[in-house]
Amino acid sequence: MGSTEEQRSAGSGRATSRDVARLAGVSHTAVSFVFNGRADGNLSPATQERIREAAAELGYRPDPVARGLRRRRTAVIGLVTDEIASSPFAGRLLRGAMETAWDSDHLVLTVDSGGDRAKEDAAVAELLDRRVDGIIYAAMSLRRVRVPEGLHRTHSVLANCVPDDDSLPSVVPAERAGGRTAARLLLDQGHRRIALVGGQDDIASVERLRGFRDALRAEGITVPKEWIVRTGGEISGGHEGATRLLDGVPADRRPTGIFCYNDRVAAGALHAATRLGLTVPGDLSVVGYDDQEHMAAFLDPPLTSVALPHRAMGEAAARLLLDAIDTGRTPPATVRRLACPVISRSSVGPAPIR
């Protein structure tokens, strides 16, 4: 009886590995070496190239089902999320994970639980029943999470969250470093009176504030307590916080720069500045966070923002998971922090001279 691949291809008109072997003038085993990752050390580079050229000419692709049966794998990884599908950043993280998996001949099966714990447990159980090779669990916002039941029964990695029992590896933004970066954008333009608006008591808010304080402390600057205005994460909170800092305050006593918890807060701060007759960045510089798609670049002025590395998180989580699948070894339960890049636009300028 022929191989599973040959049986599946019979009568379909699809090229088989034996067709490739005949065209390249090599053995069937040599073709298997190339497409199973065992060619180095067994075949010369010239032979490998000849086999790949023959495969390309014939339009040959290895049968993933047959290969999965040989390796006892399905070439599918699961991705379980809480509410990420409703987030404006979802596409970036999912795209990063999916393209990284695709490059390693894996598909990604995604399930959104809507934040329902019972659904999360059921989703993990369903993915395990389908014998996925591993699972990524991703959260909409950075936080500690309860590890869904069953996640420890396979290779698993968390993205944009950390496990409450510190039992699994995770990939998250370097939020404290991001806060330092945001403050430095203002400091490097000569600003010394800098306030922070927005955020609450979540991990991201706390870490961004720590980084903000780090950068100012390094310059010998103490931020007045009343210049840390915690007003949440929405446009209304940004407007409220900026108004509190700026309205009726003499120019020599108000901040010249504001670091906002996110771009929505920054949008509110920009609106407050306009209402009070202040120009940005002439009278006031504003830095956002998240680089929210369809928002940051379209504000007036376009917003300088510290971007969350959503795509990079998806890529890194998938790569970590695929490496674990390939080696059969679970990675250590460490937290990998990814840099938050700066997206420079027009809302930051030199500190006004007063």
Side-chain angles (χ1 to χ4, degrees):
M1 181 178 290
S3 69
T4 304
E5 177 189 337
E6 306 300 337
Q7 292 173 43
R8 286 182 175 276
S9 298
S12 69
R14 195 178 92 181
T16 70
S17 57
R18 294 191 186 279
D19 295 329
V20 174
R22 280 192 293 271
L23 181 59
V26 298
S27 69
H28 181 243
T29 300
V31 175
S32 297
F33 278 161
V34 168
F35 291 102
N36 288 331
R38 298 168 56 199
D40 291 344
N42 288 308
L43 300 172
S44 69
T47 299
Q48 293 182 47
E49 181 62 22
R50 193 162 74 249
I51 291 170
R52 293 187 190 283
E53 288 177 354
E57 182 177 338
L58 293 170
Y60 167 75
R61 283 182 59 83
D63 186 326
V65 175
R67 186 168 51 185
L69 289 172
R70 288 193 296 271
R71 297 184 179 182
R72 296 185 179 180
R73 298 179 189 168
T74 59
V76 176
I77 61 177
L79 197 156
V80 178
T81 74
D82 54 2
E83 299 175 54
I84 200 168
S86 61
S87 161
F89 311 108
R92 300 179 193 175
L93 192 150
L94 295 177
R95 218 160 30 238
M98 288 177 174
E99 291 184 6
T100 300
W102 181 259
D103 288 344
S104 294
D105 297 321
H106 277 70
L107 296 177
V108 177
L109 181 59
T110 305
V111 184
D112 190 320
S113 71
D116 185 311
R117 288 188 173 189
K119 287 183 180 178
E120 285 181 352
D121 293 340
V124 170
E126 181 67 23
L127 290 170
L128 292 173
D129 286 345
R130 292 173 182 268
R131 302 189 182 280
V132 295
D133 294 337
I135 296 175
I136 298 170
Y137 178 85
M140 179 177 68
S141 57
L142 179 61
R143 59 187 176 86
R144 283 196 165 270
V145 297
R146 177 200 69 107
V147 177
E149 191 175 318
L151 214 58
H152 295 104
R153 290 169 47 199
T154 187
H155 298 297
S156 298
V157 175
L158 274 57
N160 204 34
C161 54
V162 291
D164 57 8
D165 58 1
D166 299 317
S167 61
L168 292 171
S170 56
V171 181
V172 301
E175 296 282 17
R176 187 168 184 171
R180 287 195 295 269
T181 296
R184 282 251 53 102
L185 287 169
L186 296 166
L187 290 166
D188 290 347
Q189 290 291 326
H191 294 271
R192 292 298 179 268
R193 298 200 305 275
I194 305 173
L196 183 148
V197 172
Q200 296 173 323
D201 296 324
D202 57 285
I203 295 176
S205 296
V206 170
E207 289 299 293
R208 291 173 196 180
L209 175 58
R210 285 176 178 168
F212 174 78
R213 290 190 187 279
D214 289 344
L216 269 64
R217 191 179 300 115
E219 297 290 332
I221 299 171
T222 301
V223 185
K225 183 178 179 181
E226 62 270 21
W227 282 13
I228 305 297
V229 186
R230 289 303 201 191
T231 52
E234 299 304 323
I235 292 174
S236 58
H239 186 276
E240 175 193 339
T243 299
R244 195 184 307 174
L245 290 166
L246 303 171
D247 193 11
V249 181
D252 61 350
R253 293 176 54 193
R254 68 181 179 231
T256 62
I258 296 179
F259 166 38
C260 296
Y261 167 71
N262 63 24
D263 294 346
R264 296 189 299 278
V265 170
L270 291 175
H271 179 58
T274 299
R275 187 180 63 80
L276 295 171
L278 302 176
T279 62
V280 177
D283 297 314
L284 177 73
S285 287
V286 177
V287 176
Y289 209 104
D290 294 350
D291 190 37
Q292 185 164 337
E293 196 171 5
H294 308 308
M295 173 179 280
F298 300 98
L299 294 172
D300 185 18
L303 183 67
T304 290
S305 187
V306 178
L308 284 172
H310 282 97
R311 185 186 181 96
M313 280 193 289
E315 292 171 348
R319 184 73 270 154
L320 195 60
L321 184 62
L322 290 164
D323 287 347
I325 293 166
D326 286 342
T327 62
R329 293 193 297 270
T330 300
T334 56
V335 179
R336 181 179 175 188
R337 292 179 170 83
L338 303 185
C340 300
V342 172
I343 309 299
S344 295
R345 296 191 181 94
S346 308
S347 64
V348 174
I353 298 173
R354 291 175 182 142

